[in-house]
Amino acid sequence: MNTLSQDAVRGLMIAAQGLQHAASSPATKSDVRQIIRQMHVLQIDTIHIVARSPYLVLWSRLGEYHQHWLDELLAEGALFEYWSHAACFLPIEDYPLYRRLMLDKHTWHENGWRKWMDDHAGMVEGLLAHIRENGAVRSADFERTDGEQSGWWNWKDEKTALEGLWQRGDLMVARRQHFQRVYDLRERVLPGWDDARTPSLEAVHEIFVLSSVKALGVTKAAWVADYFRLSKKTAQAVLERLVKQGQLHTVQVEGWDAPGYFHPDQRAALEAAADGQIPLSRTTLLSPFDPLVWDRARALDLFGFDYKIEVYTPAPKRKYGYFTLPILYRNRLIGRLDPKAHRKEGLFEVKALHLEPGVKVDDALVAALKDALRACATWHKTPQVIVRQAAVPGLAERLSD
């Protein structure tokens, strides 16, 4: 195979992530399930300036679709929730992998859950008994009695116990109610599960590395560990072993001082890209927690896009805005915008739009970006688009309704 250009690598990663050209037919519920399988993980975040992140990640790939399909897939058992890259919706077919992490305590004890659960064993067992007798619960079903206010990580004991039992594997998220988790016993959510079906930790790591490489199209070794939050040492050792076994292949990439890695299922796509048939992205807006950009070092290295979410940055120190969305256009991350969906007013406001240095503002870009903004606004049921500010003179007016 010829040496791949970095343009080809960008296109192949975009295609592997399901962000290539727009589909010709409307999205279906099965498309939602399939794209999650393709990404392997769908990160959960609750910030609601625009659509919550998991719904926005799906929209970026599928366009117009019904958000309740994601909720239904969880309630129907096609998906489950667990800690992966972060808290994520995951294909139910991958449950055996995460069950091994639960059994080996590779997640919850590292975050301090084990000691807390041991120190509060009586309360934890009482909560389990309550669920066993009375059915599924939400954290909101329990009143706070210590006089403290709830907030980030300032949880009442029942919430902490529910999260610990979920991470430990005693409970699963049966469904969501107004985006709140509804917890129930694992045996009721996933009846018939047998721990004898759980693979070894070595097998889990191999599957995670294979899936990471496939989800990234072509990847540097340094980018593999982050996808499933493996240690860099583990990811590197598994990567080398899988190459020796022929389960992964390598390719030279222009400008890289080390080989790129790819999954053999994608060889035909790589060969086509090496011959100049590079997949082209749709024009869309991305969540800050989209797999294409969640690894900020990878986004900078491959796309030259220096990105930071400024939610936790004090307002006077923000450079771009509270919850900026990267803009994907013709295989480039060309800028970011600071949006706010005003649902009662039917208004999709862009407080500011920033383009990367060197981006040429021509009629094609304006038309594509205006279409993407209008599509996102329509999906939000906030059909009027107003762009308050843009770095290029006249661009805000050209993009507003």
Side-chain angles (χ1 to χ4, degrees), residues 65-132:
Y65 79 99
H66 297 295
Q67 293 187 33
H68 63 78
W69 287 341
L70 178 61
D71 307 320
E72 290 174 0
L73 288 168
L74 176 66
E76 293 164 2
L79 305 174
F80 73 105
E81 290 188 32
Y82 199 61
W83 197 263
S84 182
H85 176 84
C88 291
F89 293 107
L90 303 160
I92 194 62
E93 296 85 356
D94 289 347
Y95 179 80
L97 310 178
Y98 293 92
R99 183 60 181 157
R100 171 51 58 200
L101 301 185
M102 299 172 199
L103 293 172
D104 286 9
K105 301 180 177 63
H106 275 270
T107 300
W108 65 277
H109 81 284
E110 294 177 354
N111 294 319
W113 292 109
R114 178 186 291 177
K115 184 178 187 310
W116 192 96
M117 299 286 277
D118 289 345
D119 290 346
H120 297 78
M123 189 273 284
V124 169
E125 290 307 313
L127 181 58
L128 267 177
H130 172 84
I131 296 170
R132 193 171 292 115

Side-chain angles (χ1 to χ4, degrees), residues 27-46:
T28 65
K29 185 174 173 179
S30 63
D31 291 330
V32 173
R33 184 178 187 183
Q34 180 54 39
I35 199 64
I36 296 172
R37 285 173 166 171
Q38 184 171 333
M39 295 184 293
H40 300 285
V41 292
L42 179 60
Q43 185 173 341
I44 300 168
D45 192 84
T46 60

